[in-house]
Amino acid sequence: MSGHRVTMLGTGLIGLFYTQTLHGKRSRDRVEVVYSRSQERADEFARELDVPRTSTDLEEAIGDSETDTVLIGLPNHLHEEAVELCTRHGKAVLCTKPLARDAAEAKRILDAVERAGIFAGYLEDLVYTPKTLKAVKAVQAGQIGDVTWARSRETHPGPHSAWFWDAKQAGGGAIVDLGCHCVEIIRNFVGKENRPVEVMCWLDTLVHPIEAEDNAIALIRFESGAIGQFEVSWTFRGGMDLRDEVAGTEGTIWTNHFLRTGFEMYSSGEGGEYVAEKAESASGWIFPVGDEVAELGYVDMFTDMFDAMDEGREPMETFYDGYVVNAVMDACYRSADSRRWEPVELADWRGRGVERIAREQRQWDGKTLIKQEKMPDGRLKLILKDEATGEFSDVVTEGEPVSATR
């Protein structure tokens, strides 16, 4: 099967990761043109990654007659312009996260690709990490029951390019940069048919001399009653911390994707080799990452995107998902300003909706069973409630555990 020929927009860290992934893993898909605002940087990127052609003209790069797909790895304020040019030239488009600076901009982008009828994929890599894919599959199979709470954390010492720190170009600070990952991870765990209803958010600028927030925490209430929680920071020291936690009625999931994954090494600093993204030191106890592009989800993400193109289906992550993420983040900023719960404003909601999480109904001897657990001596302890009197009681029995009915 012949591969896709790609125009890469951007020569920063994300463009580097994207190109390394395509050339190193799915080698039949190749970057043929790279765009940069700097000719010097474009030439250096092309030389290092074996890209045949360069351009400093955005439309020229997108309209290149020998490419069929455009990867957007540009600053946030340039996404809408780049997508509009893709629609004009009929090119499939894959856009890095976040889709836009706010929901209104994201909706214009979504509408543009749908009017043009072009393929559009949202490059939210962290939902494609090997651990996340397996965890989501377990949730979808019912292994942890109904999800009641999903927490996602991404923290590090701060972004690698100047434009991230400018709220006008980026659309915000740590929420837009990192919270977009967390929101979509949470949506994958609670289910995308599960409408995000309202948000409560705290944010502040605690360390860096900037206008944007460098720390934030938010709660997202979903239609089912489930709660999503994210924690993001540009002031965390010691590397990049990527962790998720999911609680369900029948189980729990913990994942650690990056900082402490079982690979620990001590070094005096001799050699000074690259350790991992956002690592602050190459000496002392350090935490390298084996196959970084795989662990961060890039390999499975691009496999899904290009397979979806070839098979004529939607990818797992679409521009519509990016729009929903932007709407949730907008609610975060409104909540931080108002200091109260704020609704998630979705002018275009396409989910089917879900039922509220069902409470277990278990009975023992005519009373409601609240909890049961095995004691050290092997007997079973039951916590009961008499619905007629409202009285709570303990019972210890030699019997078998009581099964639930819904």
Side-chain angles (χ1 to χ4, degrees):
M1 179 186 294
S2 61
H4 293 272
R5 297 294 176 258
V6 176
T7 291
M8 173 63 64
L9 306 182
T11 53
L13 181 65
I14 199 67
L16 175 67
F17 275 148
Y18 286 173
T19 305
Q20 285 180 333
T21 304
L22 294 181
H23 289 188
K25 301 297 181 182
R26 266 189 61 108
S27 57
R28 67 179 181 270
D29 305 309
R30 304 289 299 181
V31 175
E32 296 291 327
V33 180
V34 62
Y35 161 83
S36 178
R37 289 169 288 180
S38 162
Q39 186 64 58
E40 180 181 3
R41 176 57 187 146
D43 291 341
E44 179 185 19
F45 188 98
R47 183 170 55 254
E48 291 177 354
L49 294 166
D50 192 26
V51 177
R53 299 186 301 286
T54 67
S55 179
T56 57
D57 183 297
L58 187 61
E59 182 162 13
E60 177 184 72
I62 291 171
D64 187 282
S65 62
E66 295 184 29
T67 65
D68 58 74
T69 305
V70 176
L71 264 62
I72 300 176
L74 297 171
N76 299 347
H77 70 291
L78 298 175
H79 291 185
E80 187 172 15
E81 177 187 0
V83 170
E84 184 59 41
L85 288 171
C86 290
T87 66
R88 188 182 306 171
H89 290 276
K91 296 292 184 76
V93 58
L94 309 178
C95 185
T96 192
K97 63 80 194 172
L99 184 60
R101 291 172 291 180
D102 57 40
E105 188 174 71
K107 187 62 165 64
R108 292 195 301 269
I109 289 172
L110 172 64
D111 289 345
V113 298
E114 291 186 339
R115 281 195 305 269
I118 61 174
F119 182 94
Y122 179 50
L123 299 180
E124 177 41 80
D125 58 289
L126 291 186
V127 304
Y128 287 98
T129 71
K131 291 174 184 174
T132 301
L133 289 173
K134 189 160 189 175
V136 169
K137 186 176 180 180
V139 169
Q140 292 172 343
Q143 289 181 257
I144 67 166
D146 293 328
V147 172
T148 58
W149 175 69
R151 171 192 176 215
S152 185
R153 170 182 171 86
E154 180 169 2
T155 63
H156 58 56
H160 49 268
S161 294
W163 67 265
F164 282 95
W165 302 88
D166 181 351
K168 292 180 181 177
Q169 293 186 72
I175 290 176
V176 166
D177 179 30
L178 309 179
C180 62
H181 286 304
C182 299
V183 170
E184 191 60 0
I185 289 168
I186 290 167
R187 288 188 68 231
N188 272 268
F189 282 126
V190 303
K192 291 185 181 181
E193 303 298 329
N194 199 348
R195 183 170 186 157
V197 177
E198 59 182 354
V199 170
M200 172 66 81
C201 180
W202 163 88
L203 62 80
D204 206 344
T205 308
L206 298 176
V207 176
H208 300 295
I210 57 173
E211 296 177 1
E213 76 282 356
D214 58 16
N215 283 271
I217 298 171
L219 297 177
I220 308 162
R221 186 175 70 83
F222 287 85
E223 182 180 22
S224 69
I227 287 289
Q229 174 184 334
F230 74 69
E231 307 155 25
V232 294
S233 176
W234 280 351
T235 65
F236 176 80
R237 305 308 301 267
M240 184 159 67
D241 187 13
L242 302 177
R243 283 182 282 163
D244 303 317
E245 187 174 347
V246 190
T249 54
E250 300 296 333
T252 303
I253 295 171
W254 292 338
T255 61
N256 189 337
H257 302 278
F258 209 75
L259 188 59
R260 303 195 73 154
T261 60
F263 185 174
E264 301 183 15
M265 181 173 76
Y266 179 85
S267 173
S268 67
E270 186 70 22
E273 288 296 315
Y274 173 81
V275 177
E277 183 185 348
K278 304 297 191 302
E280 294 191 280
S281 176
S283 63
W285 281 105
I286 56 179
F287 310 101
V289 176
D291 186 343
E292 197 162 347
V293 295
E295 291 302 317
L296 288 173
Y298 297 117
V299 173
D300 285 297
M301 178 178 71
F302 282 119
T303 298
D304 177 47
M305 292 293 164
F306 287 113
D307 283 352
M309 281 188 216
D310 296 341
E311 295 164 10
R313 60 170 174 84
E314 281 195 336
M316 191 174 89
E317 294 294 318
T318 68
F319 274 22
Y320 179 74
D321 294 310
Y323 160 67
V324 174
V325 169
N326 269 116
V328 173
M329 294 192 296
D330 284 359
C332 289
Y333 286 113
R334 291 197 306 273
S335 174
D337 285 340
S338 70
R339 300 193 174 191
R340 64 184 65 179
W341 286 92
E342 291 287 346
V344 178
E345 297 176 356
L346 284 164
D348 182 3
W349 173 247
R350 302 178 184 181
R352 293 191 302 271
V354 298
E355 297 291 329
R356 182 173 172 81
I357 296 168
R359 291 166 54 176
E360 290 184 331
Q361 297 295 322
R362 294 181 292 182
Q363 298 288 316
W364 191 87
D365 195 24
K367 297 178 182 178
T368 299
L369 174 63
I370 297 170
K371 182 188 175 185
Q372 59 186 329
E373 63 178 280
K374 280 285 188 182
M375 302 292 287
D377 61 5
R379 292 184 300 165
L380 190 67
K381 185 173 186 179
L382 309 178
I383 310 295
L384 305 172
K385 180 185 178 184
D386 187 321
E387 297 293 347
T389 65
E391 180 182 356
F392 291 81
S393 60
D394 300 328
V395 171
V396 177
T397 176
E398 303 284 353
E400 294 297 316
V402 181
S403 60
T405 58
R406 289 184 180 267

mmCIF file of all heavy atoms in Angstrom, residues 261-285:
data_model
loop_
_atom_site.group_PDB
_atom_site.id
_atom_site.type_symbol
_atom_site.label_atom_id
_atom_site.label_comp_id
_atom_site.label_asym_id
_atom_site.label_seq_id
_atom_site.Cartn_x
_atom_site.Cartn_y
_atom_site.Cartn_z
ATOM 1 N N THR A 261 8.203 5.518 35.668
ATOM 2 C CA THR A 261 7.534 4.402 35.002
ATOM 3 C C THR A 261 8.296 3.089 35.145
ATOM 4 O O THR A 261 8.054 2.147 34.407
ATOM 5 C CB THR A 261 7.357 4.719 33.512
ATOM 6 O OG1 THR A 261 8.654 4.916 32.923
ATOM 7 C CG2 THR A 261 6.532 5.969 33.308
ATOM 8 N N GLY A 262 9.262 3.045 36.062
ATOM 9 C CA GLY A 262 10.042 1.824 36.255
ATOM 10 C C GLY A 262 11.450 1.904 35.694
ATOM 11 O O GLY A 262 12.247 0.986 35.881
ATOM 12 N N PHE A 263 11.797 3.003 35.007
ATOM 13 C CA PHE A 263 13.140 3.197 34.465
ATOM 14 C C PHE A 263 13.781 4.323 35.276
ATOM 15 O O PHE A 263 13.452 5.497 35.104
ATOM 16 C CB PHE A 263 13.040 3.566 32.982
ATOM 17 C CG PHE A 263 14.367 3.671 32.253
ATOM 18 C CD1 PHE A 263 14.384 3.877 30.883
ATOM 19 C CD2 PHE A 263 15.590 3.575 32.907
ATOM 20 C CE1 PHE A 263 15.576 3.979 30.182
ATOM 21 C CE2 PHE A 263 16.794 3.681 32.223
ATOM 22 C CZ PHE A 263 16.786 3.883 30.855
ATOM 23 N N GLU A 264 14.692 3.957 36.184
ATOM 24 C CA GLU A 264 15.389 4.945 37.001
ATOM 25 C C GLU A 264 16.887 4.742 36.841
ATOM 26 O O GLU A 264 17.373 3.621 36.776
ATOM 27 C CB GLU A 264 14.974 4.809 38.469
ATOM 28 C CG GLU A 264 13.473 4.991 38.678
ATOM 29 C CD GLU A 264 13.062 4.937 40.143
ATOM 30 O OE1 GLU A 264 13.954 5.042 41.003
ATOM 31 O OE2 GLU A 264 11.864 4.785 40.408
ATOM 32 N N MET A 265 17.614 5.849 36.784
ATOM 33 C CA MET A 265 19.055 5.766 36.536
ATOM 34 C C MET A 265 19.778 6.850 37.329
ATOM 35 O O MET A 265 19.283 7.977 37.437
ATOM 36 C CB MET A 265 19.328 5.941 35.035
ATOM 37 C CG MET A 265 20.794 5.842 34.645
ATOM 38 S SD MET A 265 21.008 5.865 32.839
ATOM 39 C CE MET A 265 20.762 7.599 32.493
ATOM 40 N N TYR A 266 20.936 6.512 37.867
ATOM 41 C CA TYR A 266 21.774 7.514 38.522
ATOM 42 C C TYR A 266 22.944 7.840 37.613
ATOM 43 O O TYR A 266 23.558 6.947 37.016
ATOM 44 C CB TYR A 266 22.310 7.017 39.874
ATOM 45 C CG TYR A 266 23.197 8.050 40.538
ATOM 46 C CD1 TYR A 266 22.633 9.049 41.315
ATOM 47 C CD2 TYR A 266 24.565 8.056 40.324
ATOM 48 C CE1 TYR A 266 23.420 10.034 41.883
ATOM 49 C CE2 TYR A 266 25.372 9.038 40.883
ATOM 50 C CZ TYR A 266 24.794 10.026 41.659
ATOM 51 O OH TYR A 266 25.579 11.011 42.201
ATOM 52 N N SER A 267 23.265 9.129 37.494
ATOM 53 C CA SER A 267 24.415 9.549 36.682
ATOM 54 C C SER A 267 25.110 10.729 37.350
ATOM 55 O O SER A 267 24.457 11.609 37.924
ATOM 56 C CB SER A 267 23.959 9.962 35.279
ATOM 57 O OG SER A 267 25.035 10.525 34.548
ATOM 58 N N SER A 268 26.403 10.757 37.255
ATOM 59 C CA SER A 268 27.178 11.905 37.741
ATOM 60 C C SER A 268 27.023 13.107 36.821
ATOM 61 O O SER A 268 27.438 14.220 37.163
ATOM 62 C CB SER A 268 28.659 11.533 37.834
ATOM 63 O OG SER A 268 29.180 11.310 36.520
ATOM 64 N N GLY A 269 26.422 12.869 35.651
ATOM 65 C CA GLY A 269 26.289 13.926 34.651
ATOM 66 C C GLY A 269 27.248 13.759 33.490
ATOM 67 O O GLY A 269 27.162 14.492 32.498
ATOM 68 N N GLU A 270 28.112 12.787 33.587
ATOM 69 C CA GLU A 270 29.069 12.523 32.500
ATOM 70 C C GLU A 270 28.312 12.133 31.232
ATOM 71 O O GLU A 270 27.430 11.287 31.256
ATOM 72 C CB GLU A 270 30.013 11.382 32.903
ATOM 73 C CG GLU A 270 31.139 11.114 31.926
ATOM 74 C CD GLU A 270 32.180 12.216 31.906
ATOM 75 O OE1 GLU A 270 32.268 12.966 32.898
ATOM 76 O OE2 GLU A 270 32.908 12.329 30.901
ATOM 77 N N GLY A 271 28.672 12.750 30.133
ATOM 78 C CA GLY A 271 28.049 12.453 28.848
ATOM 79 C C GLY A 271 26.945 13.422 28.494
ATOM 80 O O GLY A 271 26.773 13.789 27.340
ATOM 81 N N GLY A 272 26.155 13.834 29.479
ATOM 82 C CA GLY A 272 25.132 14.855 29.267
ATOM 83 C C GLY A 272 24.111 14.520 28.204
ATOM 84 O O GLY A 272 23.671 15.395 27.458
ATOM 85 N N GLU A 273 23.717 13.259 28.091
ATOM 86 C CA GLU A 273 22.764 12.868 27.060
ATOM 87 C C GLU A 273 21.351 13.355 27.398
ATOM 88 O O GLU A 273 21.019 13.612 28.552
ATOM 89 C CB GLU A 273 22.750 11.343 26.909
ATOM 90 C CG GLU A 273 23.989 10.760 26.252
ATOM 91 C CD GLU A 273 24.175 11.210 24.822
ATOM 92 O OE1 GLU A 273 23.187 11.197 24.057
ATOM 93 O OE2 GLU A 273 25.299 11.591 24.469
ATOM 94 N N TYR A 274 20.499 13.459 26.345
ATOM 95 C CA TYR A 274 19.086 13.806 26.515
ATOM 96 C C TYR A 274 18.415 12.749 27.373
ATOM 97 O O TYR A 274 18.623 11.547 27.181
ATOM 98 C CB TYR A 274 18.439 13.883 25.130
ATOM 99 C CG TYR A 274 16.934 14.073 25.126
ATOM 100 C CD1 TYR A 274 16.377 15.336 25.304
ATOM 101 C CD2 TYR A 274 16.085 12.994 24.920
ATOM 102 C CE1 TYR A 274 14.998 15.522 25.280
ATOM 103 C CE2 TYR A 274 14.703 13.164 24.889
ATOM 104 C CZ TYR A 274 14.169 14.438 25.076
ATOM 105 O OH TYR A 274 12.806 14.614 25.045
ATOM 106 N N VAL A 275 17.606 13.189 28.318
ATOM 107 C CA VAL A 275 16.934 12.261 29.232
ATOM 108 C C VAL A 275 15.488 12.027 28.799
ATOM 109 O O VAL A 275 15.084 10.909 28.501
ATOM 110 C CB VAL A 275 16.985 12.793 30.681
ATOM 111 C CG1 VAL A 275 16.218 11.855 31.620
ATOM 112 C CG2 VAL A 275 18.424 12.944 31.139
ATOM 113 N N ALA A 276 14.684 13.089 28.784
ATOM 114 C CA ALA A 276 13.269 13.007 28.400
ATOM 115 C C ALA A 276 12.735 14.429 28.291
ATOM 116 O O ALA A 276 13.332 15.375 28.817
ATOM 117 C CB ALA A 276 12.455 12.224 29.425
ATOM 118 N N GLU A 277 11.593 14.578 27.616
ATOM 119 C CA GLU A 277 10.987 15.898 27.493
ATOM 120 C C GLU A 277 10.777 16.529 28.864
ATOM 121 O O GLU A 277 10.278 15.887 29.779
ATOM 122 C CB GLU A 277 9.638 15.808 26.767
ATOM 123 C CG GLU A 277 8.998 17.166 26.551
ATOM 124 C CD GLU A 277 7.611 17.090 25.931
ATOM 125 O OE1 GLU A 277 7.217 16.015 25.455
ATOM 126 O OE2 GLU A 277 6.926 18.120 25.946
ATOM 127 N N LYS A 278 11.153 17.802 28.999
ATOM 128 C CA LYS A 278 10.998 18.628 30.195
ATOM 129 C C LYS A 278 11.874 18.184 31.358
ATOM 130 O O LYS A 278 11.754 18.744 32.460
ATOM 131 C CB LYS A 278 9.532 18.676 30.649
ATOM 132 C CG LYS A 278 8.532 19.166 29.603
ATOM 133 C CD LYS A 278 8.759 20.582 29.184
ATOM 134 C CE LYS A 278 7.617 21.147 28.348
ATOM 135 N NZ LYS A 278 7.326 20.401 27.113
ATOM 136 N N ALA A 279 12.761 17.201 31.167
ATOM 137 C CA ALA A 279 13.687 16.823 32.233
ATOM 138 C C ALA A 279 14.586 18.015 32.532
ATOM 139 O O ALA A 279 15.095 18.675 31.624
ATOM 140 C CB ALA A 279 14.524 15.610 31.825
ATOM 141 N N GLU A 280 14.799 18.292 33.824
ATOM 142 C CA GLU A 280 15.567 19.480 34.210
ATOM 143 C C GLU A 280 17.022 19.181 34.544
ATOM 144 O O GLU A 280 17.804 20.094 34.770
ATOM 145 C CB GLU A 280 14.901 20.146 35.408
ATOM 146 C CG GLU A 280 13.536 20.733 35.102
ATOM 147 C CD GLU A 280 13.046 21.606 36.238
ATOM 148 O OE1 GLU A 280 12.546 21.045 37.227
ATOM 149 O OE2 GLU A 280 13.181 22.829 36.137
ATOM 150 N N SER A 281 17.369 17.903 34.601
ATOM 151 C CA SER A 281 18.732 17.556 34.983
ATOM 152 C C SER A 281 19.165 16.281 34.282
ATOM 153 O O SER A 281 18.337 15.411 33.982
ATOM 154 C CB SER A 281 18.810 17.351 36.504
ATOM 155 O OG SER A 281 20.101 16.918 36.891
ATOM 156 N N ALA A 282 20.458 16.181 34.023
ATOM 157 C CA ALA A 282 21.030 14.955 33.464
ATOM 158 C C ALA A 282 21.954 14.295 34.474
ATOM 159 O O ALA A 282 22.741 13.416 34.128
ATOM 160 C CB ALA A 282 21.782 15.254 32.174
ATOM 161 N N SER A 283 21.868 14.721 35.738
ATOM 162 C CA SER A 283 22.700 14.129 36.790
ATOM 163 C C SER A 283 21.848 13.791 37.993
ATOM 164 O O SER A 283 20.716 14.262 38.130
ATOM 165 C CB SER A 283 23.828 15.091 37.187
ATOM 166 O OG SER A 283 23.290 16.280 37.741
ATOM 167 N N GLY A 284 22.427 12.979 38.882
ATOM 168 C CA GLY A 284 21.676 12.491 40.026
ATOM 169 C C GLY A 284 20.746 11.368 39.596
ATOM 170 O O GLY A 284 20.960 10.712 38.565
ATOM 171 N N TRP A 285 19.705 11.134 40.378
ATOM 172 C CA TRP A 285 18.710 10.130 39.986
ATOM 173 C C TRP A 285 17.807 10.739 38.927
ATOM 174 O O TRP A 285 17.180 11.785 39.144
ATOM 175 C CB TRP A 285 17.891 9.667 41.186
ATOM 176 C CG TRP A 285 18.623 8.670 42.031
ATOM 177 C CD1 TRP A 285 19.209 8.873 43.233
ATOM 178 C CD2 TRP A 285 18.870 7.312 41.682
ATOM 179 N NE1 TRP A 285 19.807 7.732 43.670
ATOM 180 C CE2 TRP A 285 19.624 6.742 42.741
ATOM 181 C CE3 TRP A 285 18.559 6.507 40.580
ATOM 182 C CZ2 TRP A 285 20.052 5.427 42.740
ATOM 183 C CZ3 TRP A 285 18.978 5.177 40.582
ATOM 184 C CH2 TRP A 285 19.718 4.650 41.647
#
